[in-house]
Amino acid sequence: MSEEHHHHLFHHKKEEVSADADNSAYVEQTTVDYGREEEYEKAKKEEKHHKHMEHVGELGTTAAGAFALYEKHQSKKDPEHAHRHKIEEEIAAAAAVGSGGFVFHEHHEKKEDKKEEEEASGKKHHHLF
């Protein structure tokens, strides 16, 4: 066992160096069918957009959930204005649920764009069932 295996949280691909005289690095490149380059680029750009929007939605869900918890705490801490805090808590909870739905929607849009990107690049899908 001359090779050591390290377990890390994130796995990164290393670039392989070829044995050529000019020592050029091997870079993985996806081939795209002739005439479908624009479709591939468009699908790739849309996938990136939906991924970004998914992350924005996750931040919104987290923020709304945190605000709902804060208002719940305030309703117990400030009994004089407890009714107002409970209403704001419910509104924040509804916003968190709505934002979660948006994240779910963007995740599925991202998956559809990834499938379109694979189809445009010429990858074949073999479904058994």
Side-chain angles (χ1 to χ4, degrees):
M1 262 205 197
S2 62
E3 291 183 352
E4 293 183 25
H5 294 285
H6 297 284
H7 297 282
H8 296 284
L9 185 59
F10 300 104
H11 299 283
H12 299 282
K13 290 185 179 180
K14 294 181 181 177
E15 290 184 0
E16 297 177 17
V17 178
S18 62
D20 294 338
D22 61 344
N23 289 331
S24 63
Y26 170 77
V27 179
E28 185 177 333
Q29 186 175 7
T30 306
T31 58
V32 180
D33 291 341
Y34 181 73
R36 299 188 79 180
E37 295 93 2
E38 292 176 10
E39 184 179 340
Y40 173 78
E41 290 299 323
K42 181 180 177 191
K44 190 170 182 128
K45 187 175 180 181
E46 285 181 6
E47 179 189 358
K48 186 176 179 181
H49 172 73
H50 289 299
K51 183 176 183 180
H52 176 73
M53 294 306 292
E54 182 180 358
H55 287 295
V56 169
E58 288 171 352
L59 288 173
T61 302
T62 304
F67 187 70
L69 288 174
Y70 169 76
E71 286 298 327
K72 184 174 187 174
H73 171 73
Q74 287 298 103
S75 68
K76 291 178 182 177
K77 185 178 171 184
D78 185 14
E80 187 176 326
H81 301 104
H83 184 69
R84 175 179 168 231
H85 290 297
K86 286 187 184 212
I87 291 172
E88 289 181 358
E89 174 193 352
E90 291 297 322
I91 292 170
V97 170
S99 182
F102 177 73
V103 169
F104 186 74
H105 164 76
E106 288 298 324
H107 179 72
H108 285 284
E109 289 291 320
K110 180 181 73 170
K111 283 173 62 174
E112 287 178 9
D113 288 335
K114 186 169 185 85
K115 188 179 283 187
E116 288 177 13
E117 177 186 333
E118 289 175 355
E119 289 173 1
S121 69
K123 290 185 181 179
K124 306 285 189 239
H125 292 286
H126 300 287
H127 297 288
L128 299 174
F129 300 103

